[in-house]
Amino acid sequence: MTDIESHPRLISLEGGEGAGKTTVLNALRETLLQAGHEVVSTREPGGTPLAERIRQLLLSPDGEKPSPETELLLMFAARAQHVRETIRPALARGAWVVCDRFTDSSYAYQGGGRGLDVAFIAELERRVVGLQPGLTLLLDLGVSQGRARASGRDAQPDRIERERDDFFERVREAYLARAAAEPKRFRVIDASREAATVVADVTGVLREWMAAA
Ligand SMILES: Nc1ncnc2c1ncn2[C@@H]1O[C@H](COP(=O)(O)OP(=O)(O)O)[C@@H](O)[C@H]1O
Ligand SMILES: [Mg+2]
């Protein structure tokens, strides 16, 4: 995939619901700020006003259910906007960008979870995104543990969170397969440990990454 640019200042967080992505994102943001960097922390689907509107369409449990293909294309429509309006401008001015989910989520959820063709997803990635994180932290956690943590939050589960366990097992397997296929980009983090331990682990990985970048 030589036509996809890898950027060292773009870092993505991946993993199932309740794995601790938002918790870790806040810690990474703090570490980067303390090192004197500009940081843009953002999320998918979303990250621009239009992309956040697409997020509402995707995640609302009400109304007509999108087909898997509709879901995939809306995810990439939001991502196209996010890359052009938020991520690329931030990288161009020298900021670090920490993203709560990115293209790997489409491979895991729409590819692994929904069973859509991975070659089609790769084609969308190449034509629509053209950009990959230099570093992707995969927070790996068992499905039932993730569910238990996510249900501890006050928010109602969104449309995708309402899927069954076998869907999330396929998501987890797809993530782990991607991590195994791209060991230079991915770090698999055991997210079953207590939050302070996970945060110490990921901030350690980030410090090494910053020193090398
Ligand atoms: N390592 C951990 N151990 C126990 N609870 C955690 C851990 N990391 C996060 N949590 C809690 O679990 C819930 C989900 O974490 P969150 O960061 O929102 O996950 P995500 O963004 O991946 O869905 C939150 O209530 C959070 O405080
Ligand atoms: Mg979150």
Side-chain angles (χ1 to χ4, degrees), residues 13-26 100-101 139 141 145-146 148-154 161 190-199:
L13 296 168
E14 296 285 356
E17 209 46 43
K21 296 180 298 299
T22 303
T23 305
V24 161
L25 181 130
N26 293 330
D100 186 337
R101 298 192 178 285
L139 302 177
L141 184 67
Q145 230 181 325
R149 281 188 197 169
S151 68
R153 297 179 302 208
D154 11 321
E161 286 165 6
D190 174 3
S192 69
R193 299 166 297 168
E194 65 176 81
T197 308
V198 174
V199 163

Side-chain angles (χ1 to χ4, degrees), residues 99 108-109 158 166:
C99 196
Y109 283 75
D158 66 36
D166 60 313

